[in-house]
Amino acid sequence: REYLIDSVNSILSQTLEDLEFIICDDGSDKNIYLFEELKELDNRIIIIKNEKNMGLAYTLNNCINHSSGKYIARQDADDISKKDRLEKQYIFLENNIIYTFVGSNISLFDENGEYGVFKFPICPTNRDFLFTSPFNHGSIMIRKEILKKNNMYRVSKETRRCEDYDLFIRLYIDNRLGFNIQEELYFFRSEERFS
């Protein structure tokens, strides 16, 4: 609960204020009242609910289908966005039409605070996908029109837990490019410290 509230507040306090904030309850049978509480925090919050647990890819597509904006920004429920993250990504995409999506470097943190930084390639190429994803999924903002043209997230057993990797590869195959802002605009919660 505390992690989710902190995550939500990091979006509500963004310097980019003109946004709709879609939160999906993926069929949970607990914390039902928490979602109602969240809705009362701000009129930009839209709560949707899956009747049963459908998994991440389906849930992301459901959120996208409920959205009305030009761009889609991601955030995981226990992570935090820096106050100017969305504004910087919005300005970047508005001014750099050749890029389909933009992520950032990330700060790693746990209950004891920040403990490291993870840097991603500035302009990843196909080769950067050989061993891992060159983007942090939670940190991205993407052009909705192109996301829809590329069939959004693939809902399948094969892409479970790698929905983002599959999407990024399909975008690159379609000659769509991503960029990583070389700032830590996203705080990634990890209780297991990386060495």
Side-chain angles (χ1 to χ4, degrees):
R1 178 186 170 95
E2 181 184 342
Y3 291 170
L4 179 60
I5 296 293
D6 288 345
S7 182
V8 166
N9 283 331
S10 80
I11 297 299
L12 295 178
S13 63
Q14 288 290 304
T15 55
L16 181 71
E17 297 178 344
D18 184 15
L19 57 84
E20 59 183 3
F21 187 4
I22 300 171
I23 301 172
C24 185
D25 172 4
D26 188 18
S28 69
D29 54 2
K30 55 184 179 180
N31 294 328
I32 297 168
Y33 299 109
L34 174 58
F35 289 98
E36 291 304 315
E37 288 175 38
L38 292 175
K39 191 173 181 179
E40 298 301 316
L41 289 176
D42 195 289
N43 61 12
R44 295 172 295 176
I45 293 178
I46 300 165
I47 303 290
I48 60 177
K49 179 174 174 59
N50 297 336
E51 289 305 311
K52 62 179 182 177
N53 184 274
M54 299 297 294
L56 183 58
Y58 177 94
T59 299
L60 291 173
N61 289 341
N62 193 12
C63 290
I64 293 162
N65 287 329
H66 277 82
S67 70
S68 61
K70 180 178 179 182
Y71 301 112
I72 300 293
R74 276 272 293 118
Q75 176 160 307
D76 288 322
D78 57 351
D79 294 342
I80 292 173
S81 286
K82 193 174 173 186
K83 198 173 181 112
D84 58 355
R85 172 201 159 193
L86 297 182
E87 181 178 15
K88 286 186 173 179
Q89 292 180 316
Y90 171 80
I91 290 170
F92 178 86
L93 289 174
E94 286 286 291
N95 293 321
N96 295 276
I97 193 67
I98 66 166
Y99 292 104
T100 294
F101 60 101
V102 59
S104 76
N105 291 336
I106 61 173
S107 286
L108 305 169
F109 78 106
D110 62 15
E111 60 188 20
N112 298 310
E114 293 178 55
Y115 66 85
V117 168
F118 199 96
K119 295 185 181 291
F120 293 90
I122 300 174
C123 303
T125 65
N126 294 350
R127 291 182 61 82
D128 290 306
F129 285 93
L130 287 176
F131 302 108
T132 187
S133 175
F135 300 96
N136 174 270
H137 190 206
S139 79
I140 69 160
M141 179 182 283
I142 187 168
R143 298 180 194 278
K144 178 179 170 183
E145 179 184 10
I146 295 174
L147 180 59
K148 287 199 146 195
K149 280 181 181 174
N150 283 272
N151 301 313
M152 303 195 293
Y153 291 91
R154 191 183 325 207
V155 181
S156 73
K157 184 178 177 182
E158 291 76 25
T159 58
R160 191 175 299 146
R161 299 193 62 83
C162 61
E163 299 90 350
D164 54 335
Y165 192 69
D166 173 72
L167 173 66
F168 299 149
I169 287 174
R170 286 187 287 114
L171 289 170
Y172 266 67
I173 288 170
D174 193 38
N175 295 313
R176 307 296 184 173
L177 299 175
F179 185 92
N180 283 306
I181 295 172
Q182 295 299 291
E183 296 179 54
E184 291 78 54
L185 299 178
Y186 193 76
F187 296 85
F188 181 83
R189 187 182 301 276
S190 177
E191 302 299 336
E192 182 179 330
R193 293 199 170 211
F194 299 98
S195 55

